Amino acid sequence: MERHLRTAIAAARAAGEIAMRHFRTDFAVETKPDRSPVTAADRACERRIGEILLSEFPDYGLYGEEQGEQPGKTSKRWIIDPIDGTKSFVRGIPFFATLIGLEHDGEIVLGVVHAPAMNELLFATKDGGAYDEHGTRLAVSRVDRLAAAMVSFGGLEIFRRAGRWASIERLVDSTGRQRGYGDYLGSTAVIHGWSEAMVELDVKPWDLAPLKILVEEAGGRFTDFEGKATIYGGSAVVTNGRVHDEVLEMLRV
């Protein structure tokens, strides 16, 4: 995995350089069919990521938010979100990141998160641990009671539209502290050990791929709302593992 990791980090850093050249400048914002925003920076970042990854691994597939799926010749493919948190990026908020995951036979085996405006880099490989840019090994918290746990979440209106408002109310009432850290930030807070859970709806595989292996290698757990360890369920529960089953119980419809 060393060559794969080195290449993924290089691609993420290159995308970060492109993103920072656009950040807090006057750029156009378009709206995609799913009503999410996209900018020239998103597209340029994804193109550059693809160029770097394919230059080293030309037979691998690509699956990105902006360019869709590009099948490869093997069972391995890179899953890419060039700018996770585009809405924050557009508003000049520094909480956005490039997300890159490597999938092999349906399993995420490598993940990189690079938040250029925060100068943060996190990475993990299967059975190799999770680390930050300083080489410090990451570990989830040891809090084992939901009543003492901090939980974060993305947009609350999504829970209401999905008919899960009662679920989120139960979770809020059962936890010690709640914060609205959306996008990659809520999950990386769990990975760092700063909070115990992140719950999110209406998410795509590219939003989740590297976060899954990062939290697992940091000692935590990742599932969808149904308890399946998949990035394809449209929802995500990222926890320190110790409160995971309780969080799932609170989220039951």
Side-chain angles (χ1 to χ4, degrees):
M1 284 283 102
E2 183 176 346
R3 180 177 164 220
H4 292 81
L5 181 60
R6 185 170 60 249
T7 303
I9 289 174
R13 288 195 183 281
E17 291 175 3
I18 294 170
M20 291 305 292
R21 287 201 293 269
H22 289 79
F23 187 50
R24 292 177 178 167
T25 65
D26 186 16
F27 53 79
V29 181
E30 302 172 36
T31 301
K32 295 187 288 189
D34 66 358
R35 297 188 301 174
S36 65
V38 64
T39 71
D42 293 89
R43 296 188 176 109
C45 287
E46 188 164 321
R47 282 195 302 270
R48 186 61 184 137
I49 292 168
E51 290 169 357
I52 292 172
L53 297 177
L54 291 180
S55 71
E56 290 291 325
F57 305 99
D59 292 338
Y60 290 16
L62 299 178
Y63 185 31
E65 179 175 10
E66 309 307 338
Q67 296 184 320
E69 186 169 8
Q70 302 174 52
K73 299 176 182 178
T74 77
S75 59
K76 296 177 182 177
R77 69 173 177 177
W78 298 100
I79 302 177
I80 305 160
D81 190 342
I83 300 180
D84 182 60
T86 298
K87 289 181 180 178
S88 293
F89 178 78
V90 166
R91 296 199 62 174
I93 300 169
F95 303 126
F96 61 90
T98 293
L99 311 183
I100 300 175
L102 177 60
E103 184 180 54
H104 183 202
D105 288 332
E107 181 181 12
I108 305 301
V109 296
L110 176 153
V112 172
V113 173
H114 177 45
M118 303 302 295
N119 197 29
E120 180 176 54
L121 176 73
L122 308 180
F123 57 89
T125 56
K126 184 68 175 175
D127 298 324
Y131 297 86
D132 68 11
E133 67 273 13
H134 305 295
T136 302
R137 187 155 188 167
L138 304 172
V140 298
S141 79
R142 300 186 64 82
V143 173
D144 59 5
R145 294 184 305 111
L146 201 56
M150 181 171 121
V151 62
S152 56
F153 40 77
L156 289 176
E157 83 286 351
I158 298 172
F159 287 88
R160 190 185 296 278
R161 290 201 309 265
R164 288 184 174 269
W165 193 249
S167 299
I168 203 67
E169 282 187 327
R170 283 197 300 271
L171 187 59
V172 167
D173 290 342
S174 301
T175 49
R177 194 179 188 205
Q178 308 81 33
R179 289 293 183 270
Y181 302 138
D183 301 317
Y184 82 97
L185 188 62
S187 294
T188 55
V190 176
I191 293 161
H192 278 291
W194 301 335
S195 69
E196 284 64 57
M198 165 66 171
V199 298
E200 199 161 18
L201 279 173
D202 193 25
V203 282
K204 306 297 191 295
W206 47 77
D207 298 315
L208 306 173
L211 301 173
K212 179 178 187 294
I213 189 167
L214 271 160
V215 74
E216 290 172 345
E217 290 295 324
R221 186 176 167 194
F222 177 103
T223 71
D224 64 10
F225 279 21
E226 307 307 314
K228 299 175 183 176
T230 177
I231 63 173
Y232 297 101
S235 59
V237 180
V238 179
T239 77
N240 68 350
R242 295 170 174 83
V243 300
H244 200 96
D245 290 336
E246 287 184 271
V247 172
L248 288 177
E249 184 63 31
M250 294 300 106
L251 292 173
R252 294 191 194 281
V253 177

